[in-house]
């Protein structure tokens, strides 16, 4: 039963990410904008990441009949999602990934070193940092242009970051409810990213073939 | 106050907006008018106009003295879609 719930939540994330990715892809095809191309890669990566975990768990539990699920599936899915988070952060123009200041190094580097023994810990740490960066940049952009939809995007990215943090914490308490809260928080976060799409007054069938 | 950097796409958006909303007469906007309103150089505008006409977003009309440009129906649809995607990117704090 646990497997099915985990799979269902991840598959929901897969669908939400896919819809966002398709929207960004349509935008890229119509305008040729590199920003929309990066968002397209980002959302498709997030969607595929959720899909790998969701379908992986389903296949292992229902088709292969495994009692204990392979952790590499989770790690692979999270790794693919991290690529998506990187592209969201990259779109804001990361100047340098590692901070130059010795003081900041002392704060940031432990986030990579402390987990050490697990790839999943490292991936979650990177995702968390990228999402926090994206959240801050979006809040900054809201301060400049006061667009209400930017608040929803910032909240969405913030919830994704919180989800990653809770997921990271759930490794410490593996049998707790934290993992479900983590995935649910991430899906609510992805849902908040839907708000800008709902405000776009697009009529169907707008196709221009080649980008301008 | 810092001057905002305009992307290639936003310049195209400005040109199409000018051709749609601010044309001085029915025959369309002249190159000089577009240069002034869209705030781009002649060299850059010429290349963009060539692309927009070849893509069917602008229609070229000839008058006695010079070429004029008018937005096509396809151009209007493109402009509407562009504005939608610009809103989407703006929400992420990004520019298309």
């Amino acid at each position: 039963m646990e497997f099915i719930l985990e799979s269902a939540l991840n598959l929901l994330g897969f669908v939400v990410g896919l819809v966002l990715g398709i929207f960004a892809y349509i935008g890229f095809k119509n305008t040729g904008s590199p920003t929309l191309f990066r968002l397209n890669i980002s959302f498709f990566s997030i969607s595929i990441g959720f899909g790998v975990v969701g379908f992986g768990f389903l296949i292992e539990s229902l088709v292969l009949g495994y009692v204990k699920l392979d952790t590499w599936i989770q790690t692979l899915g999270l790794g693919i999602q991290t690529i998506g988070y990187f592209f969201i952060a990259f779109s804001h123009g990361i100047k340098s990934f590692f901070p130059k200041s010795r003081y900041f190094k002392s704060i940031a580097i432990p986030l990579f070193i402390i987990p050490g023994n697990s790839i999943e810990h490292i991936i979650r740490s990177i995702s968390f940092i990228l999402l926090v960066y994206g959240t801050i940049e979006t809040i900054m952009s809201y301060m400049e242009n006061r667009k209400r939809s930017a608040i929803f995007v910032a909240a969405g990215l913030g919830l994704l970051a919180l989800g990653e943090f809770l997921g990271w914490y759930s490794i410490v308490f593996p049998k707790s409810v934290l993992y479900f809260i983590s995935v649910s928080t991430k899906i609510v976060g992805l849902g908040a990213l839907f708000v800008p799409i709902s405000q776009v007054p697009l009529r169907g069938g707008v196709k221009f073939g080649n980008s301008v | 106050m810092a001057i905002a950097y305009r992307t290639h796409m936003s310049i195209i958006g400005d040109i199409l907006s000018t051709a749609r909303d601010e044309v001085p007469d029915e025959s369309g906007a002249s190159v000089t008018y577009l240069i002034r309103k869209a705030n781009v150089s002649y060299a850059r505008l010429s290349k963009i106009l060539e692309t927009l006409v070849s893509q069917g977003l602008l229609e070229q009309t000839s008058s006695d003295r010079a070429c004029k440009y008018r937005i096509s129906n396809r151009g209007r649809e493109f402009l509407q879609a562009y504005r939608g995607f610009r809103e989407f990117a703006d929400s992420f704090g990004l520019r298309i």
Side-chain angles (χ1 to χ4, degrees):
Chain A
M1 190 62 196
E2 263 183 30
F3 302 153
I4 293 170
L5 187 59
E6 280 182 24
S7 299
L9 284 172
N10 280 295
L11 290 177
L12 186 62
F14 167 73
V15 172
V16 172
L18 192 65
V19 173
L20 285 164
I22 289 170
F23 185 81
Y25 178 73
I26 293 169
F28 164 67
K29 279 292 282 180
N30 283 335
T31 62
S33 160
T35 303
L36 290 173
F37 180 65
R38 284 193 288 270
L39 284 178
N40 162 41
I41 293 176
S42 164
F43 289 126
F44 276 146
S45 298
I46 293 169
S47 172
I48 291 167
F50 273 109
V52 164
V53 180
F55 286 115
F57 281 3
L58 265 187
I59 291 167
E60 282 208 328
S61 61
L62 297 179
V63 180
L64 301 174
Y66 287 8
V67 180
K68 193 172 183 296
L69 299 174
D70 287 329
T71 50
W72 68 264
I73 292 178
Q74 173 105 334
T75 307
L76 178 66
L78 287 172
I80 297 169
Q81 284 177 43
T82 304
I83 295 169
Y85 302 142
F86 170 76
F87 275 97
I88 288 180
F90 177 67
S91 297
H92 285 288
I94 291 177
K95 307 291 187 296
S96 61
F97 192 73
F98 294 99
K100 288 187 179 117
S101 150
R102 193 179 292 174
Y103 172 72
F104 280 115
K105 272 182 183 171
S106 67
I107 296 169
I109 287 178
L111 290 171
F112 293 90
I113 292 174
I114 289 168
N117 57 354
S118 162
I119 297 169
E120 190 179 328
H121 289 197
I122 298 167
I123 290 170
R124 282 197 187 275
S125 306
I126 295 169
S127 293
F128 177 74
I129 292 166
L130 292 172
L131 285 165
V132 168
Y133 178 81
T135 307
I136 292 167
E137 283 294 324
T138 312
I139 290 170
M140 296 291 281
S141 107
Y142 169 74
M143 304 292 267
E144 277 175 22
N145 59 26
R146 298 278 166 189
K147 273 189 181 293
R148 276 185 62 196
S149 54
I151 298 174
F152 288 98
V153 172
L157 293 175
L159 285 169
L160 282 168
L162 179 65
E164 283 300 337
F165 179 76
L166 291 173
W168 183 63
Y169 217 69
S170 74
I171 299 165
V172 183
F173 303 102
K175 295 287 178 188
S176 71
V177 76
L178 273 174
Y179 180 75
F180 297 106
I181 297 173
S182 157
V183 178
S184 305
T185 308
K186 284 168 75 174
I187 289 162
V188 173
L190 273 180
L193 300 184
F194 251 109
V195 174
I197 292 182
S198 67
Q199 293 177 345
V200 172
L202 279 181
R203 286 181 302 184
V206 181
K207 281 184 183 172
F208 300 96
N210 301 321
S211 56
V212 179
Chain B
M1 190 178 162
I3 297 166
Y5 169 76
R6 284 193 303 167
T7 60
H8 180 69
M9 187 51 60
S10 62
I11 292 171
I12 287 173
D14 288 345
I15 292 168
L16 289 175
S17 296
T18 306
R20 190 186 69 174
D21 305 328
E22 300 176 43
V23 283
D25 58 66
E26 284 294 306
S27 62
S30 67
V31 172
T32 314
Y33 187 81
L34 287 172
I35 287 173
R36 201 172 65 241
K37 288 286 181 182
N39 196 24
V40 280
S41 68
Y42 175 77
R44 187 157 194 192
L45 182 74
S46 300
K47 282 182 190 166
I48 293 172
L49 287 178
E50 199 178 306
T51 310
L52 294 180
V53 170
S54 69
Q55 293 281 328
L57 304 182
L58 280 182
E59 289 168 354
Q60 196 171 358
T61 57
S62 296
S63 69
D64 296 339
R65 284 160 52 192
C67 280
K68 289 194 170 184
Y69 296 90
R70 208 168 42 192
I71 192 165
S72 64
N73 287 333
R74 195 174 149 88
R76 286 175 198 276
E77 284 179 7
F78 179 87
L79 193 59
Q80 191 185 1
Y82 159 73
R83 285 183 171 171
F85 291 117
R86 190 185 61 188
E87 286 286 314
F88 176 67
D90 276 353
S91 304
F92 284 83
L94 304 170
R95 274 180 290 180
I96 65 169

